[in-house]
Amino acid sequence: MKTVRILFIDDETAFTATLLERMELRNIDAKAAPDGHSGIAMMDESVRSGTPFEVIVLDVLMPGMDGLETLRHLRQRHPGVPVVVLTGHGSTRDGMKAMQLGAVDYLVKPVDIDELVRVVHNAAECADAMSPKACMEQGPAEQI
């Protein structure tokens, strides 16, 4: 399985610290940002440095810029990067809104780590094989 670079954007730092440990155990290169502004800045910097994150996993409810607003900015600045929304306060409405804004998938906390890894790999492989827009239009269940 290909190594994927992931950026988690989530204000729950204890949760993201656990995710980073779990990703490292699975040989996945993952970093975390505590809010939308920091996440966008980290994504911008990864592109400038020539080692862009390949998938972003984004929380919805965060102080300041929420996940949906962060997603809007990410779609404008980095339209080719798949975004998976992961939230503990999920609702069908949030999921639909996230998908309309360009998320490729939507998961609810607590999430099974193997399911998260599967979704992240599918998002990265789908983006490699076709445009993220085509991946979004195809829908998460039908992706690779």
Side-chain angles (χ1 to χ4, degrees):
M1 195 175 279
K2 173 186 161 192
T3 299
V4 178
R5 293 196 72 228
I6 304 171
L7 175 61
F8 290 98
I9 304 174
D10 194 317
D11 63 316
E12 296 179 45
T13 55
F15 175 71
T16 54
T18 300
L19 284 177
L20 294 179
E21 290 175 8
R22 301 272 171 95
M23 294 297 122
E24 185 177 345
L25 291 172
R26 288 165 175 78
N27 201 27
I28 295 174
D29 182 11
K31 305 287 185 239
D35 57 61
H37 290 289
S38 300
I40 292 168
M42 287 177 72
M43 184 62 204
D44 290 347
E45 180 55 34
S46 75
V47 170
R48 276 193 294 274
S49 70
T51 55
F53 292 103
E54 298 169 83
V55 177
I56 296 174
V57 179
L58 177 64
D59 189 16
V60 173
L61 291 181
M62 296 186 289
M65 183 188 303
D66 70 12
L68 296 178
E69 186 63 25
T70 302
L71 179 56
R72 284 187 193 93
H73 286 280
L74 288 168
R75 290 278 60 93
Q76 292 172 351
R77 297 165 82 108
H78 307 286
V81 178
V83 176
V84 175
V85 172
L86 173 64
T87 185
H89 308 282
S91 69
T92 303
R93 193 171 114 200
D94 286 342
M96 290 177 62
K97 185 70 175 170
M99 300 302 277
Q100 289 171 347
L101 291 172
V104 297
D105 212 332
Y106 184 84
L107 299 171
V108 178
K109 298 175 188 172
V111 66
D112 177 86
I113 196 72
D114 292 327
E115 173 70 4
L116 176 60
V117 169
R118 184 192 64 76
V119 166
V120 164
H121 277 283
N122 284 353
E125 289 174 15
C126 189
D128 283 348
M130 61 181 79
S131 74
K133 183 178 180 190
C135 291
M136 290 179 273
E137 290 170 355
Q138 195 174 43
E142 297 174 22
Q143 296 173 10
I144 297 174

